[in-house]
Amino acid sequence: MSWAWEDEPSEDQVVGGAPPALVAEVEKKADALVRAAAALYLGGTVYQGPSPRGENVLVSGGMFFCQVVPRHERV
């Protein structure tokens, strides 16, 4: 298994008319969060601790909420 987003909704469902600059910032930050989670939780499927709390992530022009689930290797 490799790290990825838990859900794969359509672009319209997620973006819903958001400005392209905001979408680009969210995509850039989301990619960084996936890379960080993969590095922090090596062997995530066998992780035994509690899942981290969800958090609001601020980006230029807006924000989004995310949660890391190590055992599922998903953000």
Side-chain angles (χ1 to χ4, degrees):
M1 183 178 285
S2 61
W3 281 85
W5 286 103
E6 173 67 22
D7 189 19
E8 294 291 338
S10 71
E11 182 175 338
D12 186 53
Q13 181 184 4
V14 174
V15 175
L22 174 59
V23 174
E25 288 295 317
V26 169
E27 287 176 345
K28 184 167 54 173
K29 187 65 170 185
D31 287 342
L33 289 169
V34 169
R35 286 192 308 274
L40 185 59
Y41 298 102
L42 296 173
T45 58
V46 294
Y47 177 74
Q48 295 296 311
S51 290
R53 297 177 77 179
E55 65 179 290
N56 291 320
V57 180
L58 300 176
V59 295
S60 180
M63 62 160 283
F64 64 98
F65 181 84
C66 76
Q67 175 153 10
V68 176
V69 184
R71 288 174 296 282
H72 293 231
E73 293 187 338
R74 295 291 184 256
V75 176

